[in-house]
Amino acid sequence: LPGLESDYVPGLEDWVRELHGRADFHHILGSVHPQVREFKARFYRGDDFEYQRLYFQHLAEAAETGLFDTLAHPDLI
């Protein structure tokens, strides 16, 4: 059965929902990747501690969307 790891980025929920609907996935793993250049360019403002807090905030938001079955590597930061 197919599975998918899918990134959470605030504001892209509708697109992610559409992406998830393209196949009959058995399990969808949600993730936040703060080390990805595009994510960092969009959200990092020079304060490392605030960036860590934002990572956990985004994980919580991802969980609340209902788009994912589980969340990946909550300790990545």
Side-chain angles (χ1 to χ4, degrees):
L1 298 169
L4 177 71
E5 180 175 356
S6 183
D7 278 354
Y8 171 76
V9 178
L12 298 181
E13 293 87 353
D14 289 340
W15 181 82
V16 170
R17 188 172 290 107
E18 190 259 312
L19 174 68
H20 294 175
R22 291 184 182 182
D24 185 21
F25 293 109
H26 175 71
H27 192 88
I28 299 177
L29 188 59
S31 57
V32 175
H33 289 109
Q35 78 281 15
V36 172
R37 182 179 345 163
E38 293 83 4
F39 188 91
K40 195 166 189 176
R42 184 172 179 180
F43 295 109
Y44 184 71
R45 299 292 175 254
D47 184 325
D48 292 341
F49 182 71
E50 285 304 313
Y51 196 56
Q52 290 173 353
R53 287 173 47 105
L54 182 69
Y55 171 75
F56 291 114
Q57 177 184 330
H58 284 185
L59 281 175
E61 291 171 7
E64 291 172 354
T65 67
L67 291 169
F68 313 103
D69 296 307
T70 56
L71 295 178
H73 45 69
D75 59 345
L76 185 60
I77 196 71

